[in-house]
């Protein structure tokens, strides 16, 4: 693992946007008194999360990463069950989304645009891939905080390059798990981000429709990666007849060979998605005051905008 040649000069915060606005939608009460009013709980919650994150972690740079494609063809081609359980009945492309969340997502886009936060996606790729690409592009030049409720992104953790995950699944943005290599070792018995990805391939993930290797659970997967170092080395040991891999365990790994041929490309985030180069520095003024005023008044989210402006120290 390479060491940084110089200390990082800033902190880049990468938001897994959909992860956070889904959390906001389910976590923030719907305060409408009349069903004819537009729903706003995800908008309010998302903006409040941004204010809290910036206030607490003091990033110098910030990107809201976006799912231009929530179920990319290259992952579905490799494993057809990938996220298949989240498809709208009868659709091959549309993701199930709560009826009252769907109309709030364009408003969240407008809010980000008005405030001047860059929002980046890449056609044919998920937000995870945007995050992976921006991490690969900028790690070592500044510290990186990945904000997500999705443990898939634990694979990016890299103490030497100052990359950690602010994991919101349990405590939200106000009391998240700060995931570094020590957290991975304690919680999953894996040494680093790449080892987590290899363990996750073996274990599988029912929430993403990844079957894993039948009969290999998380603890066994972690022990195998610890012993052999990488999934590639483990598979080489199986293929070469390593006598320490025997009995039912050998049979399971051999039976899972076809899955193991394709699963890494599904689990690993892309380090080289076609993500636009933009100025990622925190805004120092409102980018579009007219748009912000319209969104604030139309959806009643003035106080949420004000909390973000306060965190940004914009008068």
């Amino acid at each position: 693992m390479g060491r940084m040649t110089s200390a990082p000069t800033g902190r880049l915060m990468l938001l897994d946007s959909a992860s956070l606005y889904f959390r906001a939608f389910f976590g923030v009460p719907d305060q409408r008194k009349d069903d004819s009013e537009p729903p706003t709980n995800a908008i309010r919650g998302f903006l409040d999360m941004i204010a809290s994150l910036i206030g607490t972690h003091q990033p110098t740079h910030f990107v809201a990463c976006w799912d231009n494609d929530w179920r990319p063809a290259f992952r579905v081609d490799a494993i057809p069950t990938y996220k298949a359980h989240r498809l709208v009945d009868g659709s091959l492309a549309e993701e199930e989304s709560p009826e009252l969340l769907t109309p709030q997502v364009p408003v969240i886009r407008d809010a980000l645009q008005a405030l001047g936060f860059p929002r980046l996606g890449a056609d044919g790729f998920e937000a995870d891939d945007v995050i992976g690409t921006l991490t690969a592009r900028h790690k070592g030049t500044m510290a990186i905080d990945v904000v997500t409720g999705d443990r898939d992104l634990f694979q990016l953790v890299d103490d030497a390059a100052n990359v950690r995950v602010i994991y919101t699944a349990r405590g939200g943005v106000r009391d998240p798990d700060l995931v570094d290599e020590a957290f991975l070792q304690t919680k999953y018995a894996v040494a680093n981000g790449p080892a987590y990805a290899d363990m996750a391939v073996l274990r599988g993930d029912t929430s993403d429709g990844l079957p894993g290797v039948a009969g290999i659970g998380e603890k066994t997967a972690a022990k195998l990666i610890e012993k052999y170092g990488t999934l590639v080395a483990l598979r080489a040991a199986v293929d070469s007849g390593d006598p320490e891999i025997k009995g039912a365990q050998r049979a399971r790994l051999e039976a899972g060979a076809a899955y193991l041929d394709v699963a890494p490309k599904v689990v690993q985030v892309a380090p080289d998605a076609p993500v636009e180069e933009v100025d990622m520095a925190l805004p120092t003024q409102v980018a579009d005051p007219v748009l912000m005023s319209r969104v604030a008044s139309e959806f009643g989210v003035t106080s949420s905008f004000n909390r973000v402006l306060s965190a940004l120290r914009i008068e």
Side-chain angles (χ1 to χ4, degrees), residues 93-276:
E94 188 180 352
E95 182 180 17
E96 282 189 339
S97 177
E99 184 180 351
L100 294 176
L101 171 60
T102 302
Q104 297 187 67
V105 176
V107 185
I108 289 170
R109 284 201 298 258
D110 285 346
L112 290 166
Q113 180 182 334
L115 287 161
F117 290 120
R119 182 181 65 84
L120 293 178
D123 288 348
F125 293 89
E126 300 177 56
D128 285 10
D129 301 307
V130 177
I131 290 168
T133 296
L134 291 173
T135 298
R137 193 180 286 172
H138 297 289
K139 72 179 183 178
T141 66
M142 60 180 107
I144 297 175
D145 284 340
V146 174
V147 185
T148 184
D150 185 350
R151 60 186 182 169
D152 294 348
L153 289 165
F154 290 178
Q155 65 186 274
L156 296 174
V157 167
D158 184 342
D159 285 5
N162 225 335
V163 180
R164 65 179 181 174
V165 172
I166 297 174
Y167 183 55
T168 62
R170 295 196 304 174
V173 298
R174 287 182 173 80
D175 187 24
D177 290 311
L178 299 179
V179 181
D180 57 10
E181 289 175 7
F183 180 98
L184 294 180
Q185 186 66 60
T186 300
K187 176 78 173 167
Y188 297 103
V190 295
N192 51 40
Y196 180 86
D198 282 348
M199 182 273 288
V201 168
L202 287 166
R203 176 197 65 199
D205 189 339
T206 53
S207 69
D208 280 339
L210 298 176
V213 175
I216 302 279
E218 184 169 279
K219 289 183 178 176
T220 301
K223 285 177 182 172
L224 287 167
I225 297 304
E226 181 183 30
K227 181 176 177 62
Y228 290 94
T230 65
L231 181 60
V232 169
L234 168 63
R235 298 199 68 197
V238 174
D239 292 345
S240 68
D242 184 328
E244 292 193 29
I245 304 173
K246 55 186 181 292
Q249 189 171 87
R250 170 172 288 279
R252 288 169 182 147
L253 290 166
E254 289 174 344
Y259 162 79
L260 292 173
D261 286 342
V262 295
K265 73 173 72 170
V266 177
V267 169
Q268 291 164 4
V269 297
D272 55 0
V275 179
E276 184 183 356

